[in-house]
């Protein structure tokens, strides 16, 4: 798990200027990161977000790297898009720092991969694993021995009991609960407020209590 001293935390470029960027900016500030270099977004909602300047679109990334930018945080809610952008940033030479809100509770034995974000009041249990660019959002509980895949998103208020696997790019909707030992496959979507009591196949869309397949 990354735990850099505050003096070693980099100034980052934030990619994405939507709602998720607001939460990322607050987490960066709370974690003691230096002020961000700015935001990059081809379709920003305005010239600034939470006091951080929008520098331009994606065309700014090579220029910022050439000017000495070393690290970026991908503030995009779309799971597959977040992974693609993260891969592109790495290919350009950007580092993807782990972002852990200081109000989160994270076991010393948890493993957190590059670019993952853990928001305020989230709890990560012993021997849990968070993949690259995963998001564990506000007040979510990821219990012992969970495996959260690359680009997966555990939305606010979710509760995952022990030994749960959430596949790459999967989305667990707001306030959902998952019983012990369940596997939710890659690219699956679980609707808000669901109770997941049986395995969910890759790519499936389920919802309800208990969670059942949803019509597309």
């Amino acid at each position: 798990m990354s735990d850099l001293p505050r003096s070693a935390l980099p100034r980052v470029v934030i990619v994405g200027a939507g709602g998720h960027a607001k939460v990322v900016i607050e987490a960066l500030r709370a974690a003691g990161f230096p002020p961000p270099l700015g935001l990059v977004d081809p379709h920003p909602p305005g010239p600034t977000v939470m006091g951080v300047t929008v520098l331009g679109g994606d065309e700014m990334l090579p220029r910022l790297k050439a000017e000495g930018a070393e690290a970026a945080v991908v503030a995009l809610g779309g799971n597959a898009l977040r992974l693609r952008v993260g891969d592109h940033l790495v290919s350009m030479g950007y580092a993807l720092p782990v972002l852990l809100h200081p109000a989160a509770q994270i076991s010393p034995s948890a493993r957190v991969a590059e670019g993952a974000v853990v928001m305020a009041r989230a709890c990560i249990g012993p021997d849990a694993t968070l993949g690259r660019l995963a998001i564990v959002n506000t007040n979510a509980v990821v219990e012992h021995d969970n495996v959260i895949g690359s680009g997966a998103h555990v939305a606010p208020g979710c509760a995952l009991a022990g030994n749960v696997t959430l596949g790459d790019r999967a989305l667990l909707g707001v306030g959902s609960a998952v019983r012990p030992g369940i596997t939710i496959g890659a690219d699956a979507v679980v609707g808000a407020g669901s109770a997941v009591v049986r395995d969910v196949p890759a790519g499936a869309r389920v919802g309800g209590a208990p969670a059942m397949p949803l019509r597309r």
Side-chain angles (χ1 to χ4, degrees), residues 39-102:
L39 294 144
V40 170
D41 193 314
H43 305 290
T48 65
V49 177
M50 304 284 289
V52 180
T53 300
V54 177
L55 302 173
D58 297 342
E59 73 282 354
M60 292 297 299
L61 291 170
R63 174 178 165 184
L64 290 166
K65 190 70 183 68
E67 292 175 352
E70 297 181 353
V73 175
V74 186
L76 299 169
N79 293 345
L81 176 61
R82 189 167 62 256
L83 276 178
R84 288 198 302 272
V85 170
D87 288 343
H88 179 58
L89 289 165
V90 169
S91 74
M92 296 174 64
Y94 282 94
L96 303 178
V98 170
L99 176 54
L100 307 176
H101 196 290

Side-chain angles (χ1 to χ4, degrees), residues 5 12 21 88 151 153 160 181:
V12 302
H88 179 58
H153 185 175
L160 289 73

Side-chain angles (χ1 to χ4, degrees), residues 42 132 157:
R132 296 179 65 249

Side-chain angles (χ1 to χ4, degrees), residues 173-177 191-195 208-209:
V174 174
S176 294
S194 296

